[in-house]
Amino acid sequence: MKIYDREQKNRENKKSREMPALTLIEMIVSLAVVMFVAAIFIYNYRDSNKRTDLIMASQVMVSDVHRAQNNSLGLLNYGDDTPAGGWGVYFDTYAPDRYVVFADLNTPGSSGSQLYDAQTEGDVNKGAKVVELAPEIRITGIRFSSEDLRQYAAVTFLPPDPRTNINSGGSTSTELYVDLTDLRSGTTKTMLVNFLGLAELIN
């Protein structure tokens, strides 16, 4: 029995010695393939994150326009005050990394070119909301039409309907386009708000 076991072990040892080992070239090729696949995965992962940041930011912006509309419809107070002009959203290319959901304390038209006063209408403790965009996401365009560029604009909703007002520096419009761009990829998403208060992404 012992002789048989010894012979079997000898045969197994002989087989293990006869198995070919990986050469240095085969190892280098295998490593190169693994690194190539990993590089493709990492690139796709980062690219997907860029697209996700822009999509999320643009969808949140649309929902914040709806939030302002709902605040006006529900006659939501700003602190202890009922905003005479309802609630709105203010966009400014001079502060392209944010926008503000604010309470319009002035009746529409009485504020002239002053659409939004950060000191009196943008207090987050009273219900306003300052929305900081994700890093590398910026507001790159505000316009009433493809040719009518604006530095800033506000869309407000006057209760009880709520009626939609789109203003910029004393001018009004029936449409507002806001472009959000991912600076890393140059990709842009555009939100349209129309005179009915409908907000949607159009690309």
Side-chain angles (χ1 to χ4, degrees), residues 131-168:
V131 181
E132 301 279 347
L133 296 172
E136 305 300 324
I137 305 293
R138 296 290 180 268
I139 296 171
T140 53
I142 299 169
R143 58 192 193 283
F144 283 171
S145 68
S146 57
E147 302 296 322
D148 194 359
L149 299 176
R150 298 286 163 165
Q151 294 295 325
Y152 55 88
V155 56
T156 59
F157 301 98
L158 180 66
D161 302 333
R163 191 178 77 230
T164 305
N165 298 289
I166 298 171
N167 302 287
S168 176

PDB file of all heavy atoms in Angstrom, residues 131-168:
ATOM      1  N   VAL A 131     -30.195  77.549  -5.109  1.00  0.00           N
ATOM      2  CA  VAL A 131     -29.796  76.250  -5.649  1.00  0.00           C
ATOM      3  C   VAL A 131     -28.399  76.357  -6.244  1.00  0.00           C
ATOM      4  O   VAL A 131     -28.193  77.056  -7.243  1.00  0.00           O
ATOM      5  CB  VAL A 131     -30.796  75.759  -6.722  1.00  0.00           C
ATOM      6  CG1 VAL A 131     -30.376  74.402  -7.254  1.00  0.00           C
ATOM      7  CG2 VAL A 131     -32.200  75.708  -6.150  1.00  0.00           C
ATOM      8  N   GLU A 132     -27.443  75.695  -5.606  1.00  0.00           N
ATOM      9  CA  GLU A 132     -26.066  75.651  -6.108  1.00  0.00           C
ATOM     10  C   GLU A 132     -25.962  74.518  -7.114  1.00  0.00           C
ATOM     11  O   GLU A 132     -26.316  73.375  -6.806  1.00  0.00           O
ATOM     12  CB  GLU A 132     -25.093  75.410  -4.951  1.00  0.00           C
ATOM     13  CG  GLU A 132     -25.134  76.441  -3.849  1.00  0.00           C
ATOM     14  CD  GLU A 132     -24.350  77.691  -4.168  1.00  0.00           C
ATOM     15  OE1 GLU A 132     -23.559  77.666  -5.149  1.00  0.00           O
ATOM     16  OE2 GLU A 132     -24.538  78.694  -3.468  1.00  0.00           O
ATOM     17  N   LEU A 133     -25.470  74.819  -8.307  1.00  0.00           N
ATOM     18  CA  LEU A 133     -25.318  73.794  -9.337  1.00  0.00           C
ATOM     19  C   LEU A 133     -24.105  72.924  -9.039  1.00  0.00           C
ATOM     20  O   LEU A 133     -23.189  73.324  -8.316  1.00  0.00           O
ATOM     21  CB  LEU A 133     -25.179  74.454 -10.707  1.00  0.00           C
ATOM     22  CG  LEU A 133     -26.403  75.251 -11.166  1.00  0.00           C
ATOM     23  CD1 LEU A 133     -26.081  76.029 -12.439  1.00  0.00           C
ATOM     24  CD2 LEU A 133     -27.592  74.338 -11.391  1.00  0.00           C
ATOM     25  N   ALA A 134     -24.100  71.731  -9.615  1.00  0.00           N
ATOM     26  CA  ALA A 134     -22.977  70.808  -9.430  1.00  0.00           C
ATOM     27  C   ALA A 134     -21.705  71.431  -9.998  1.00  0.00           C
ATOM     28  O   ALA A 134     -21.778  72.276 -10.902  1.00  0.00           O
ATOM     29  CB  ALA A 134     -23.273  69.480 -10.142  1.00  0.00           C
ATOM     30  N   PRO A 135     -20.529  71.029  -9.488  1.00  0.00           N
ATOM     31  CA  PRO A 135     -19.282  71.560 -10.040  1.00  0.00           C
ATOM     32  C   PRO A 135     -19.223  71.335 -11.550  1.00  0.00           C
ATOM     33  O   PRO A 135     -19.625  70.285 -12.043  1.00  0.00           O
ATOM     34  CB  PRO A 135     -18.201  70.738  -9.330  1.00  0.00           C
ATOM     35  CG  PRO A 135     -18.852  70.271  -8.076  1.00  0.00           C
ATOM     36  CD  PRO A 135     -20.300  70.080  -8.400  1.00  0.00           C
ATOM     37  N   GLU A 136     -18.746  72.341 -12.259  1.00  0.00           N
ATOM     38  CA  GLU A 136     -18.600  72.309 -13.724  1.00  0.00           C
ATOM     39  C   GLU A 136     -19.920  72.422 -14.481  1.00  0.00           C
ATOM     40  O   GLU A 136     -19.933  72.347 -15.700  1.00  0.00           O
ATOM     41  CB  GLU A 136     -17.838  71.050 -14.193  1.00  0.00           C
ATOM     42  CG  GLU A 136     -16.477  70.854 -13.550  1.00  0.00           C
ATOM     43  CD  GLU A 136     -15.534  72.013 -13.820  1.00  0.00           C
ATOM     44  OE1 GLU A 136     -15.577  72.588 -14.911  1.00  0.00           O
ATOM     45  OE2 GLU A 136     -14.746  72.337 -12.918  1.00  0.00           O
ATOM     46  N   ILE A 137     -21.052  72.575 -13.783  1.00  0.00           N
ATOM     47  CA  ILE A 137     -22.328  72.834 -14.455  1.00  0.00           C
ATOM     48  C   ILE A 137     -22.623  74.323 -14.284  1.00  0.00           C
ATOM     49  O   ILE A 137     -22.597  74.835 -13.172  1.00  0.00           O
ATOM     50  CB  ILE A 137     -23.482  72.001 -13.851  1.00  0.00           C
ATOM     51  CG1 ILE A 137     -23.155  70.513 -13.845  1.00  0.00           C
ATOM     52  CG2 ILE A 137     -24.796  72.278 -14.593  1.00  0.00           C
ATOM     53  CD1 ILE A 137     -23.048  69.872 -15.197  1.00  0.00           C
ATOM     54  N   ARG A 138     -22.899  75.010 -15.397  1.00  0.00           N
ATOM     55  CA  ARG A 138     -23.110  76.454 -15.357  1.00  0.00           C
ATOM     56  C   ARG A 138     -24.299  76.877 -16.220  1.00  0.00           C
ATOM     57  O   ARG A 138     -24.608  76.235 -17.218  1.00  0.00           O
ATOM     58  CB  ARG A 138     -21.858  77.200 -15.871  1.00  0.00           C
ATOM     59  CG  ARG A 138     -20.613  77.012 -15.007  1.00  0.00           C
ATOM     60  CD  ARG A 138     -20.752  77.718 -13.676  1.00  0.00           C
ATOM     61  NE  ARG A 138     -19.590  77.564 -12.837  1.00  0.00           N
ATOM     62  CZ  ARG A 138     -19.422  76.598 -11.941  1.00  0.00           C
ATOM     63  NH1 ARG A 138     -20.361  75.691 -11.781  1.00  0.00           N
ATOM     64  NH2 ARG A 138     -18.344  76.540 -11.199  1.00  0.00           N
ATOM     65  N   ILE A 139     -24.922  77.984 -15.811  1.00  0.00           N
ATOM     66  CA  ILE A 139     -25.916  78.627 -16.667  1.00  0.00           C
ATOM     67  C   ILE A 139     -25.141  79.408 -17.722  1.00  0.00           C
ATOM     68  O   ILE A 139     -24.397  80.337 -17.388  1.00  0.00           O
ATOM     69  CB  ILE A 139     -26.827  79.576 -15.855  1.00  0.00           C
ATOM     70  CG1 ILE A 139     -27.639  78.782 -14.831  1.00  0.00           C
ATOM     71  CG2 ILE A 139     -27.746  80.372 -16.779  1.00  0.00           C
ATOM     72  CD1 ILE A 139     -28.397  79.640 -13.840  1.00  0.00           C
ATOM     73  N   THR A 140     -25.287  79.029 -18.985  1.00  0.00           N
ATOM     74  CA  THR A 140     -24.492  79.665 -20.045  1.00  0.00           C
ATOM     75  C   THR A 140     -25.337  80.508 -20.988  1.00  0.00           C
ATOM     76  O   THR A 140     -24.790  81.178 -21.859  1.00  0.00           O
ATOM     77  CB  THR A 140     -23.736  78.603 -20.860  1.00  0.00           C
ATOM     78  OG1 THR A 140     -24.667  77.616 -21.317  1.00  0.00           O
ATOM     79  CG2 THR A 140     -22.665  77.938 -20.016  1.00  0.00           C
ATOM     80  N   GLY A 141     -26.654  80.472 -20.838  1.00  0.00           N
ATOM     81  CA  GLY A 141     -27.485  81.278 -21.709  1.00  0.00           C
ATOM     82  C   GLY A 141     -28.866  81.490 -21.125  1.00  0.00           C
ATOM     83  O   GLY A 141     -29.468  80.574 -20.579  1.00  0.00           O
ATOM     84  N   ILE A 142     -29.345  82.741 -21.227  1.00  0.00           N
ATOM     85  CA  ILE A 142     -30.707  83.090 -20.844  1.00  0.00           C
ATOM     86  C   ILE A 142     -31.260  83.898 -22.004  1.00  0.00           C
ATOM     87  O   ILE A 142     -30.633  84.867 -22.440  1.00  0.00           O
ATOM     88  CB  ILE A 142     -30.734  83.939 -19.550  1.00  0.00           C
ATOM     89  CG1 ILE A 142     -30.127  83.147 -18.388  1.00  0.00           C
ATOM     90  CG2 ILE A 142     -32.148  84.379 -19.215  1.00  0.00           C
ATOM     91  CD1 ILE A 142     -29.864  83.982 -17.150  1.00  0.00           C
ATOM     92  N   ARG A 143     -32.406  83.503 -22.530  1.00  0.00           N
ATOM     93  CA  ARG A 143     -32.925  84.226 -23.689  1.00  0.00           C
ATOM     94  C   ARG A 143     -34.441  84.125 -23.757  1.00  0.00           C
ATOM     95  O   ARG A 143     -35.033  83.187 -23.245  1.00  0.00           O
ATOM     96  CB  ARG A 143     -32.267  83.746 -24.976  1.00  0.00           C
ATOM     97  CG  ARG A 143     -32.425  82.287 -25.260  1.00  0.00           C
ATOM     98  CD  ARG A 143     -31.487  81.840 -26.398  1.00  0.00           C
ATOM     99  NE  ARG A 143     -31.832  80.541 -26.891  1.00  0.00           N
ATOM    100  CZ  ARG A 143     -31.553  79.390 -26.287  1.00  0.00           C
ATOM    101  NH1 ARG A 143     -30.891  79.403 -25.149  1.00  0.00           N
ATOM    102  NH2 ARG A 143     -31.917  78.251 -26.806  1.00  0.00           N
ATOM    103  N   PHE A 144     -35.016  85.108 -24.436  1.00  0.00           N
ATOM    104  CA  PHE A 144     -36.453  85.102 -24.692  1.00  0.00           C
ATOM    105  C   PHE A 144     -36.760  84.371 -26.003  1.00  0.00           C
ATOM    106  O   PHE A 144     -37.824  83.851 -26.199  1.00  0.00           O
ATOM    107  CB  PHE A 144     -36.989  86.526 -24.771  1.00  0.00           C
ATOM    108  CG  PHE A 144     -37.157  87.181 -23.417  1.00  0.00           C
ATOM    109  CD1 PHE A 144     -37.448  88.527 -23.325  1.00  0.00           C
ATOM    110  CD2 PHE A 144     -37.031  86.464 -22.234  1.00  0.00           C
ATOM    111  CE1 PHE A 144     -37.629  89.142 -22.098  1.00  0.00           C
ATOM    112  CE2 PHE A 144     -37.201  87.063 -21.002  1.00  0.00           C
ATOM    113  CZ  PHE A 144     -37.498  88.413 -20.943  1.00  0.00           C
ATOM    114  N   SER A 145     -35.796  84.376 -26.914  1.00  0.00           N
ATOM    115  CA  SER A 145     -35.901  83.627 -28.165  1.00  0.00           C
ATOM    116  C   SER A 145     -34.483  83.291 -28.597  1.00  0.00           C
ATOM    117  O   SER A 145     -33.532  83.623 -27.889  1.00  0.00           O
ATOM    118  CB  SER A 145     -36.608  84.461 -29.250  1.00  0.00           C
ATOM    119  OG  SER A 145     -35.791  85.560 -29.621  1.00  0.00           O
ATOM    120  N   SER A 146     -34.328  82.655 -29.748  1.00  0.00           N
ATOM    121  CA  SER A 146     -32.977  82.264 -30.163  1.00  0.00           C
ATOM    122  C   SER A 146     -32.067  83.475 -30.368  1.00  0.00           C
ATOM    123  O   SER A 146     -30.859  83.385 -30.233  1.00  0.00           O
ATOM    124  CB  SER A 146     -33.039  81.432 -31.448  1.00  0.00           C
ATOM    125  OG  SER A 146     -33.691  82.164 -32.460  1.00  0.00           O
ATOM    126  N   GLU A 147     -32.656  84.645 -30.682  1.00  0.00           N
ATOM    127  CA  GLU A 147     -31.860  85.844 -30.941  1.00  0.00           C
ATOM    128  C   GLU A 147     -31.849  86.827 -29.768  1.00  0.00           C
ATOM    129  O   GLU A 147     -30.990  87.695 -29.699  1.00  0.00           O
ATOM    130  CB  GLU A 147     -32.421  86.571 -32.181  1.00  0.00           C
ATOM    131  CG  GLU A 147     -32.448  85.710 -33.444  1.00  0.00           C
ATOM    132  CD  GLU A 147     -31.070  85.299 -33.899  1.00  0.00           C
ATOM    133  OE1 GLU A 147     -30.137  86.115 -33.786  1.00  0.00           O
ATOM    134  OE2 GLU A 147     -30.905  84.150 -34.343  1.00  0.00           O
ATOM    135  N   ASP A 148     -32.806  86.726 -28.869  1.00  0.00           N
ATOM    136  CA  ASP A 148     -33.000  87.722 -27.818  1.00  0.00           C
ATOM    137  C   ASP A 148     -32.302  87.294 -26.521  1.00  0.00           C
ATOM    138  O   ASP A 148     -32.927  86.786 -25.589  1.00  0.00           O
ATOM    139  CB  ASP A 148     -34.498  87.933 -27.588  1.00  0.00           C
ATOM    140  CG  ASP A 148     -34.791  89.180 -26.758  1.00  0.00           C
ATOM    141  OD1 ASP A 148     -33.835  89.861 -26.346  1.00  0.00           O
ATOM    142  OD2 ASP A 148     -35.977  89.461 -26.524  1.00  0.00           O
ATOM    143  N   LEU A 149     -30.980  87.503 -26.462  1.00  0.00           N
ATOM    144  CA  LEU A 149     -30.180  87.094 -25.299  1.00  0.00           C
ATOM    145  C   LEU A 149     -30.380  88.053 -24.134  1.00  0.00           C
ATOM    146  O   LEU A 149     -30.553  89.251 -24.319  1.00  0.00           O
ATOM    147  CB  LEU A 149     -28.698  87.038 -25.673  1.00  0.00           C
ATOM    148  CG  LEU A 149     -28.315  86.064 -26.783  1.00  0.00           C
ATOM    149  CD1 LEU A 149     -26.836  86.191 -27.118  1.00  0.00           C
ATOM    150  CD2 LEU A 149     -28.649  84.639 -26.393  1.00  0.00           C
ATOM    151  N   ARG A 150     -30.328  87.499 -22.921  1.00  0.00           N
ATOM    152  CA  ARG A 150     -30.505  88.275 -21.699  1.00  0.00           C
ATOM    153  C   ARG A 150     -29.401  87.933 -20.710  1.00  0.00           C
ATOM    154  O   ARG A 150     -28.914  86.807 -20.677  1.00  0.00           O
ATOM    155  CB  ARG A 150     -31.862  87.958 -21.069  1.00  0.00           C
ATOM    156  CG  ARG A 150     -33.042  88.305 -21.940  1.00  0.00           C
ATOM    157  CD  ARG A 150     -33.239  89.796 -21.978  1.00  0.00           C
ATOM    158  NE  ARG A 150     -34.079  90.215 -23.087  1.00  0.00           N
ATOM    159  CZ  ARG A 150     -34.626  91.409 -23.166  1.00  0.00           C
ATOM    160  NH1 ARG A 150     -34.410  92.297 -22.217  1.00  0.00           N
ATOM    161  NH2 ARG A 150     -35.360  91.736 -24.197  1.00  0.00           N
ATOM    162  N   GLN A 151     -29.035  88.929 -19.879  1.00  0.00           N
ATOM    163  CA  GLN A 151     -28.058  88.674 -18.824  1.00  0.00           C
ATOM    164  C   GLN A 151     -28.725  88.009 -17.619  1.00  0.00           C
ATOM    165  O   GLN A 151     -28.117  87.212 -16.923  1.00  0.00           O
ATOM    166  CB  GLN A 151     -27.391  89.984 -18.377  1.00  0.00           C
ATOM    167  CG  GLN A 151     -26.535  90.642 -19.435  1.00  0.00           C
ATOM    168  CD  GLN A 151     -25.337  89.803 -19.808  1.00  0.00           C
ATOM    169  OE1 GLN A 151     -24.754  89.119 -18.967  1.00  0.00           O
ATOM    170  NE2 GLN A 151     -24.968  89.810 -21.070  1.00  0.00           N
ATOM    171  N   TYR A 152     -29.982  88.356 -17.388  1.00  0.00           N
ATOM    172  CA  TYR A 152     -30.723  87.796 -16.258  1.00  0.00           C
ATOM    173  C   TYR A 152     -32.206  87.807 -16.612  1.00  0.00           C
ATOM    174  O   TYR A 152     -32.655  88.542 -17.509  1.00  0.00           O
ATOM    175  CB  TYR A 152     -30.478  88.599 -14.974  1.00  0.00           C
ATOM    176  CG  TYR A 152     -30.770  90.064 -15.110  1.00  0.00           C
ATOM    177  CD1 TYR A 152     -32.055  90.554 -14.885  1.00  0.00           C
ATOM    178  CD2 TYR A 152     -29.769  90.969 -15.484  1.00  0.00           C
ATOM    179  CE1 TYR A 152     -32.337  91.904 -15.021  1.00  0.00           C
ATOM    180  CE2 TYR A 152     -30.048  92.315 -15.628  1.00  0.00           C
ATOM    181  CZ  TYR A 152     -31.330  92.785 -15.399  1.00  0.00           C
ATOM    182  OH  TYR A 152     -31.613  94.114 -15.547  1.00  0.00           O
ATOM    183  N   ALA A 153     -32.972  86.994 -15.905  1.00  0.00           N
ATOM    184  CA  ALA A 153     -34.428  86.943 -16.119  1.00  0.00           C
ATOM    185  C   ALA A 153     -35.062  86.250 -14.931  1.00  0.00           C
ATOM    186  O   ALA A 153     -34.406  85.508 -14.189  1.00  0.00           O
ATOM    187  CB  ALA A 153     -34.759  86.193 -17.410  1.00  0.00           C
ATOM    188  N   ALA A 154     -36.353  86.500 -14.774  1.00  0.00           N
ATOM    189  CA  ALA A 154     -37.111  85.836 -13.720  1.00  0.00           C
ATOM    190  C   ALA A 154     -38.444  85.384 -14.286  1.00  0.00           C
ATOM    191  O   ALA A 154     -39.025  86.059 -15.137  1.00  0.00           O
ATOM    192  CB  ALA A 154     -37.340  86.773 -12.537  1.00  0.00           C
ATOM    193  N   VAL A 155     -38.877  84.236 -13.828  1.00  0.00           N
ATOM    194  CA  VAL A 155     -40.234  83.786 -14.124  1.00  0.00           C
ATOM    195  C   VAL A 155     -40.970  83.748 -12.786  1.00  0.00           C
ATOM    196  O   VAL A 155     -40.471  83.164 -11.824  1.00  0.00           O
ATOM    197  CB  VAL A 155     -40.260  82.419 -14.851  1.00  0.00           C
ATOM    198  CG1 VAL A 155     -39.522  81.350 -14.066  1.00  0.00           C
ATOM    199  CG2 VAL A 155     -41.692  81.965 -15.122  1.00  0.00           C
ATOM    200  N   THR A 156     -42.096  84.447 -12.714  1.00  0.00           N
ATOM    201  CA  THR A 156     -42.876  84.473 -11.471  1.00  0.00           C
ATOM    202  C   THR A 156     -44.300  84.013 -11.763  1.00  0.00           C
ATOM    203  O   THR A 156     -44.774  84.089 -12.899  1.00  0.00           O
ATOM    204  CB  THR A 156     -42.908  85.884 -10.847  1.00  0.00           C
ATOM    205  OG1 THR A 156     -43.472  86.803 -11.783  1.00  0.00           O
ATOM    206  CG2 THR A 156     -41.520  86.330 -10.429  1.00  0.00           C
ATOM    207  N   PHE A 157     -44.941  83.556 -10.710  1.00  0.00           N
ATOM    208  CA  PHE A 157     -46.301  83.033 -10.829  1.00  0.00           C
ATOM    209  C   PHE A 157     -47.194  83.803  -9.857  1.00  0.00           C
ATOM    210  O   PHE A 157     -47.036  83.707  -8.648  1.00  0.00           O
ATOM    211  CB  PHE A 157     -46.318  81.537 -10.523  1.00  0.00           C
ATOM    212  CG  PHE A 157     -45.418  80.750 -11.437  1.00  0.00           C
ATOM    213  CD1 PHE A 157     -44.138  80.393 -11.034  1.00  0.00           C
ATOM    214  CD2 PHE A 157     -45.845  80.402 -12.706  1.00  0.00           C
ATOM    215  CE1 PHE A 157     -43.304  79.682 -11.878  1.00  0.00           C
ATOM    216  CE2 PHE A 157     -45.012  79.690 -13.561  1.00  0.00           C
ATOM    217  CZ  PHE A 157     -43.742  79.331 -13.148  1.00  0.00           C
ATOM    218  N   LEU A 158     -48.117  84.577 -10.432  1.00  0.00           N
ATOM    219  CA  LEU A 158     -48.992  85.426  -9.629  1.00  0.00           C
ATOM    220  C   LEU A 158     -50.240  84.659  -9.231  1.00  0.00           C
ATOM    221  O   LEU A 158     -50.969  84.165 -10.089  1.00  0.00           O
ATOM    222  CB  LEU A 158     -49.378  86.670 -10.444  1.00  0.00           C
ATOM    223  CG  LEU A 158     -50.293  87.669  -9.746  1.00  0.00           C
ATOM    224  CD1 LEU A 158     -49.580  88.305  -8.552  1.00  0.00           C
ATOM    225  CD2 LEU A 158     -50.753  88.738 -10.730  1.00  0.00           C
ATOM    226  N   PRO A 159     -50.487  84.506  -7.927  1.00  0.00           N
ATOM    227  CA  PRO A 159     -51.690  83.791  -7.497  1.00  0.00           C
ATOM    228  C   PRO A 159     -52.942  84.617  -7.822  1.00  0.00           C
ATOM    229  O   PRO A 159     -52.828  85.809  -8.057  1.00  0.00           O
ATOM    230  CB  PRO A 159     -51.483  83.649  -5.994  1.00  0.00           C
ATOM    231  CG  PRO A 159     -50.502  84.703  -5.615  1.00  0.00           C
ATOM    232  CD  PRO A 159     -49.683  84.997  -6.832  1.00  0.00           C
ATOM    233  N   PRO A 160     -54.129  84.018  -7.845  1.00  0.00           N
ATOM    234  CA  PRO A 160     -54.371  82.630  -7.454  1.00  0.00           C
ATOM    235  C   PRO A 160     -54.321  81.638  -8.616  1.00  0.00           C
ATOM    236  O   PRO A 160     -54.430  80.449  -8.392  1.00  0.00           O
ATOM    237  CB  PRO A 160     -55.781  82.696  -6.870  1.00  0.00           C
ATOM    238  CG  PRO A 160     -56.455  83.767  -7.679  1.00  0.00           C
ATOM    239  CD  PRO A 160     -55.392  84.768  -8.004  1.00  0.00           C
ATOM    240  N   ASP A 161     -54.175  82.110  -9.892  1.00  0.00           N
ATOM    241  CA  ASP A 161     -54.301  81.195 -11.044  1.00  0.00           C
ATOM    242  C   ASP A 161     -53.295  80.039 -11.039  1.00  0.00           C
ATOM    243  O   ASP A 161     -53.733  78.923 -11.212  1.00  0.00           O
ATOM    244  CB  ASP A 161     -54.223  81.951 -12.367  1.00  0.00           C
ATOM    245  CG  ASP A 161     -55.310  83.020 -12.452  1.00  0.00           C
ATOM    246  OD1 ASP A 161     -56.352  82.831 -11.803  1.00  0.00           O
ATOM    247  OD2 ASP A 161     -55.102  84.008 -13.142  1.00  0.00           O
ATOM    248  N   PRO A 162     -52.010  80.150 -10.980  1.00  0.00           N
ATOM    249  CA  PRO A 162     -51.209  81.358 -10.954  1.00  0.00           C
ATOM    250  C   PRO A 162     -50.836  81.813 -12.377  1.00  0.00           C
ATOM    251  O   PRO A 162     -50.555  80.983 -13.232  1.00  0.00           O
ATOM    252  CB  PRO A 162     -49.956  80.924 -10.196  1.00  0.00           C
ATOM    253  CG  PRO A 162     -49.816  79.472 -10.494  1.00  0.00           C
ATOM    254  CD  PRO A 162     -51.204  78.941 -10.739  1.00  0.00           C
ATOM    255  N   ARG A 163     -50.866  83.134 -12.604  1.00  0.00           N
ATOM    256  CA  ARG A 163     -50.532  83.694 -13.912  1.00  0.00           C
ATOM    257  C   ARG A 163     -49.009  83.789 -14.056  1.00  0.00           C
ATOM    258  O   ARG A 163     -48.318  84.203 -13.128  1.00  0.00           O
ATOM    259  CB  ARG A 163     -51.154  85.083 -14.072  1.00  0.00           C
ATOM    260  CG  ARG A 163     -51.062  85.614 -15.501  1.00  0.00           C
ATOM    261  CD  ARG A 163     -51.715  86.971 -15.650  1.00  0.00           C
ATOM    262  NE  ARG A 163     -50.854  88.019 -15.110  1.00  0.00           N
ATOM    263  CZ  ARG A 163     -51.262  88.944 -14.254  1.00  0.00           C
ATOM    264  NH1 ARG A 163     -52.494  88.959 -13.802  1.00  0.00           N
ATOM    265  NH2 ARG A 163     -50.424  89.871 -13.821  1.00  0.00           N
ATOM    266  N   THR A 164     -48.500  83.407 -15.222  1.00  0.00           N
ATOM    267  CA  THR A 164     -47.051  83.373 -15.456  1.00  0.00           C
ATOM    268  C   THR A 164     -46.563  84.723 -15.971  1.00  0.00           C
ATOM    269  O   THR A 164     -47.140  85.287 -16.901  1.00  0.00           O
ATOM    270  CB  THR A 164     -46.704  82.288 -16.486  1.00  0.00           C
ATOM    271  OG1 THR A 164     -47.243  81.045 -16.042  1.00  0.00           O
ATOM    272  CG2 THR A 164     -45.209  82.145 -16.658  1.00  0.00           C
ATOM    273  N   ASN A 165     -45.504  85.242 -15.348  1.00  0.00           N
ATOM    274  CA  ASN A 165     -44.856  86.482 -15.797  1.00  0.00           C
ATOM    275  C   ASN A 165     -43.388  86.174 -16.058  1.00  0.00           C
ATOM    276  O   ASN A 165     -42.695  85.652 -15.175  1.00  0.00           O
ATOM    277  CB  ASN A 165     -44.946  87.570 -14.717  1.00  0.00           C
ATOM    278  CG  ASN A 165     -46.377  87.941 -14.402  1.00  0.00           C
ATOM    279  OD1 ASN A 165     -47.056  88.560 -15.196  1.00  0.00           O
ATOM    280  ND2 ASN A 165     -46.835  87.525 -13.223  1.00  0.00           N
ATOM    281  N   ILE A 166     -42.910  86.497 -17.260  1.00  0.00           N
ATOM    282  CA  ILE A 166     -41.501  86.307 -17.612  1.00  0.00           C
ATOM    283  C   ILE A 166     -40.920  87.691 -17.868  1.00  0.00           C
ATOM    284  O   ILE A 166     -41.372  88.405 -18.769  1.00  0.00           O
ATOM    285  CB  ILE A 166     -41.354  85.393 -18.849  1.00  0.00           C
ATOM    286  CG1 ILE A 166     -41.938  84.012 -18.535  1.00  0.00           C
ATOM    287  CG2 ILE A 166     -39.896  85.292 -19.264  1.00  0.00           C
ATOM    288  CD1 ILE A 166     -42.056  83.087 -19.737  1.00  0.00           C
ATOM    289  N   ASN A 167     -39.947  88.092 -17.051  1.00  0.00           N
ATOM    290  CA  ASN A 167     -39.405  89.452 -17.089  1.00  0.00           C
ATOM    291  C   ASN A 167     -37.893  89.454 -17.171  1.00  0.00           C
ATOM    292  O   ASN A 167     -37.230  88.545 -16.658  1.00  0.00           O
ATOM    293  CB  ASN A 167     -39.792  90.216 -15.811  1.00  0.00           C
ATOM    294  CG  ASN A 167     -41.281  90.275 -15.606  1.00  0.00           C
ATOM    295  OD1 ASN A 167     -41.963  90.997 -16.308  1.00  0.00           O
ATOM    296  ND2 ASN A 167     -41.780  89.511 -14.652  1.00  0.00           N
ATOM    297  N   SER A 168     -37.378  90.523 -17.785  1.00  0.00           N
ATOM    298  CA  SER A 168     -35.942  90.770 -17.789  1.00  0.00           C
ATOM    299  C   SER A 168     -35.706  92.252 -18.039  1.00  0.00           C
ATOM    300  O   SER A 168     -35.963  92.744 -19.150  1.00  0.00           O
ATOM    301  CB  SER A 168     -35.239  89.947 -18.869  1.00  0.00           C
ATOM    302  OG  SER A 168     -33.865  90.269 -18.908  1.00  0.00           O
TER     303      SER A 168
END
